[in-house]
Amino acid sequence: MSTVDKSIITDISLAPEGHLKIDWVSAHMPVLNRIREQFEKDQPFKGLKVTIALHLEAKTAYLAKVVQAGGAEVAITGSNPLSTQDDVCAALVEDGITVFAKYNPSAEEFKALNIKALESKPDLIIDDGGDLATILHSERKDLAVNLRGGAEETTTGIIRLKAMEKDGSLAFPMVAVNDAYCKHLFDNRYGTGQSVFDGINRTTNLVVAGKTVVVVGYGWCGKGVAMRAKGLGANVVVTEIDAIKAVEAYMDGFAVLPMSEAAKVGEIFVTVTGNRDVIRGEHYEVMKNGAILSNAGHFDVEVNKPELAALSSSIRTVRKNIEEYKLKDGRSIYLLAEGRLVNLAAGDGHPAEIMDMTFALQALSLRYVNEQYKDLGNHVEKVPYVLDEQVARLKLESLGFSIDTLSEQQKAYLDSWKEE
C-alpha cells in the first residue's frame, strides 16, 4: 500500500505549495544537510520504523526527510491541532512518508491521528510534549512492543517523562533534547523570542513599541520573549515564582511584579511557563480594556479559557486567530490562537536557521538511542555533550567561522593542581 493510500490528510493536491516550503527551509538548514549526507551514507535507521509527533510544518517535514534518508520508514503526526500545515502534509506523502495530520481537527480526531501514527509499532519515536509517550504508557501499551526509545523536544514533555521515571512507569529510554545546551540557548531563547512576536505581529497588525508586555515565566523561552519585546520598544514586566529567576529578570533590566499587579498594567501578555492557569479569573477582572492574551507554552491551559468565558457576555472572532471576549462590564479582552502556541498556531514557528540546530540534535539523538538503547535503561537521558558540541561546530562551519583549540601545555595546565 502506498503512503497516499495509508495516510490521512486533507488534500493531496496541495503538495506543490508544500514542496516549495520544504525546499525553502532546507536551503537554510546547513547543519541538517550535513547530517543528511552522513545518514544517506551510513543508513543508521535501515529497516526501522520511526514515528514522529511534532508541529507539522516545513522545518519538521525536512527533519522527517532526513530521518527517512537514514533508511527509516517514517510516519508523522501533528503535535498541535492549529500548527499543522495541510500543504506540507501533502508534500510529505508524495515523498514517501506516511502522514496522519490535518489542520484544526477535533480533540477526538487529533488523538486518533496520533494513535494511527503509532500503529506501525515503531522502533523509535520523536515526541513533542510527551503525547506519544503518554499514549504508549496508557491506553495503547501494545503499540510499544518494538520500541527502543526516542527523543523529546519540549520542556513540557520532559516534565511528563520525568514524572513517569520518578514513579517507575517509564517503559523505554527518552533523550531530553530540550535540555541540550544548544537547544535552550538558541531555540528556546532566540527562536521563541522571534517567533512569538512574528505570530503576534502578523495576527494583530498592531504596534508593540510603547506598550507594556507582560512575560509570564523567565526560563529560557521567557528570556527570549522579554529580549525581543524590549527590542521592539515595549515596556517589559516579568512575573515569576522562582526568586532566582526573578532577580535575574530584574538585573536584565525588567520590572518584576506578581501577576495580580502585572494584570493591571499589561497590554500584551505572553505565557511561557509550561504550567496551567497562570492567567485566570481574578486577573481578568482587573485587566485593561483591549488587553491581548497569548501563549507560547506547549498546551492551551496556561490562559484559563473557561474562567474567561464565564466572565464574558459574548465571544466572537474579530480577525483570524483573534477571539474577542466581551466582558459583562463592557471591557474587551482578546485571545490569540485559542490560547495555543501563538508562534505556531498563528505563525510559522521558529526561524529555519534555529530549527536547523534543534533538529540536528533530534536526528543525532535518535541515532544515539538506536545505538545505545540496550545500555541506557528506562530513564530520561541527557543529550551527550559530544553531540551538542558537534552541532555547534557544524553551525560555526556553515557560518564560515573557526575557533581556537587548546595546546597540549594548556590542557596539562588545566588538568594539574600543582604550580610549575
Side-chain angles (χ1 to χ4, degrees):
M1 185 184 295
S2 70
T3 55
V4 176
D5 296 325
K6 290 189 290 185
S7 297
I8 300 175
I9 62 172
T10 296
D11 186 355
I12 192 65
S13 71
L14 299 174
E17 184 65 27
H19 286 303
L20 289 175
K21 289 182 178 181
I22 298 169
D23 289 346
W24 171 259
V25 300
S26 66
H28 295 85
M29 302 180 86
V31 178
L32 208 51
N33 285 331
R34 286 287 302 276
I35 291 171
R36 179 175 184 164
E37 292 173 5
Q38 294 173 9
F39 281 7
E40 287 174 338
K41 179 182 178 181
D42 300 340
Q43 292 290 289
F45 308 121
K46 186 175 182 179
L48 300 180
K49 296 178 179 179
V50 176
T51 294
I52 299 172
L54 289 169
H55 297 283
L56 223 171
E57 44 77 56
K59 298 175 290 291
T60 297
Y62 191 54
L63 169 63
K65 292 184 67 172
V66 170
V67 174
Q68 180 191 43
E73 179 183 326
V74 179
I76 192 166
T77 186
S79 64
N80 185 297
L82 298 184
S83 63
T84 295
Q85 297 182 9
D86 290 325
D87 51 359
V88 170
C89 293
L92 281 179
V93 171
E94 283 197 344
D95 286 341
I97 290 173
T98 307
V99 182
F100 300 100
K102 297 178 178 181
Y103 175 75
N104 201 22
S106 67
E108 294 76 17
E109 187 179 13
F110 177 75
K111 186 172 183 179
L113 290 168
N114 281 188
I115 292 173
K116 287 290 292 183
L118 289 167
E119 286 182 350
S120 64
K121 298 180 179 178
D123 300 283
L124 299 162
I125 62 171
I126 294 177
D127 206 357
D128 188 307
D131 287 349
L132 296 184
T134 299
I135 291 168
L136 293 170
H137 282 85
S138 54
E139 66 261 45
R140 296 306 305 268
K141 293 180 180 180
D142 60 303
L143 301 180
V145 290
N146 300 321
L147 198 61
R148 299 176 177 184
E152 168 57 47
E153 174 77 3
T154 67
T155 301
T156 301
I158 291 169
I159 289 170
R160 298 172 86 179
L161 291 169
K162 286 184 175 178
M164 294 177 190
E165 182 182 28
K166 185 176 180 180
D167 69 14
S169 62
L170 187 62
F172 41 80
M174 291 291 291
V175 175
V177 171
N178 182 76
D179 290 352
Y181 207 42
C182 279
K183 171 67 162 68
H184 60 236
L185 273 182
F186 306 119
D187 179 309
N188 291 1
R189 180 167 48 169
Y190 297 104
T192 305
Q194 179 169 323
S195 63
V196 160
F197 282 100
D198 285 346
I200 291 172
N201 294 341
R202 176 191 298 187
T203 301
T204 66
N205 195 32
L206 298 176
V207 72
V208 177
K211 288 189 170 69
T212 297
V213 173
V214 176
V215 180
V216 188
Y218 203 66
W220 286 106
C221 292
K223 291 170 190 169
V225 173
M227 180 196 306
R228 290 292 167 254
K230 182 179 181 180
L232 288 167
N235 303 303
V236 181
V237 174
V238 170
T239 73
E240 250 301 338
I241 59 166
D242 185 308
I244 296 172
K245 291 179 181 177
V247 173
E248 183 181 14
Y250 164 75
M251 290 193 173
D252 284 344
F254 304 122
V256 178
L257 294 173
M259 179 53 74
S260 59
E261 296 300 317
K264 298 175 184 177
V265 299
E267 294 163 283
I268 299 173
F269 295 79
V270 184
T271 60
V272 273
T273 70
N275 208 338
R276 62 175 300 151
D277 305 330
V278 295
I279 299 181
R280 52 190 183 273
E282 66 263 34
H283 305 136
Y284 306 135
E285 291 175 351
V286 299
M287 282 182 180
K288 291 182 176 183
N289 179 45
I292 294 169
L293 309 181
S294 64
N295 169 50
H298 185 77
F299 293 114
D300 61 335
V301 296
E302 303 209 16
V303 177
N304 189 310
K305 293 186 287 186
E307 291 186 5
L308 181 56
L311 292 169
S312 303
S313 57
S314 66
I315 305 171
R316 63 173 183 149
T317 300
V318 294
R319 185 178 168 98
K320 184 179 180 181
N321 284 318
I322 305 179
E323 291 174 299
E324 178 192 43
Y325 285 76
K326 194 75 171 180
L327 273 58
K328 294 171 185 176
D329 63 8
R331 289 176 297 129
S332 291
I333 293 177
Y334 299 101
L335 179 64
L336 305 188
E338 300 179 10
R340 297 186 184 277
L341 280 162
V342 70
N343 51 342
L344 278 149
D348 285 326
H350 292 2
E353 299 99 326
I354 293 293
M355 294 312 296
D356 186 27
M357 298 179 72
T358 294
F359 284 163
L361 283 168
Q362 283 283 12
L364 293 177
S365 294
L366 198 68
R367 185 181 66 183
Y368 169 73
V369 171
N370 187 51
E371 292 172 348
Q372 303 294 329
Y373 72 96
K374 292 180 180 178
D375 300 319
L376 293 178
N378 298 337
H379 303 293
V380 179
E381 299 287 336
K382 293 182 178 180
V383 174
Y385 182 77
V386 65
L387 300 186
D388 224 350
E389 188 182 39
Q390 180 182 352
V391 168
R393 288 187 178 278
L394 287 172
K395 178 64 175 177
L396 285 172
E397 184 180 298
S398 75
L399 295 169
F401 297 158
S402 60
I403 59 175
D404 294 318
T405 57
L406 294 174
S407 68
E408 292 304 317
Q409 284 182 318
Q410 289 172 323
K411 290 178 184 177
Y413 177 79
L414 292 175
D415 289 338
S416 175
W417 60 271
K418 295 179 180 180
E419 292 186 11
E420 295 182 3

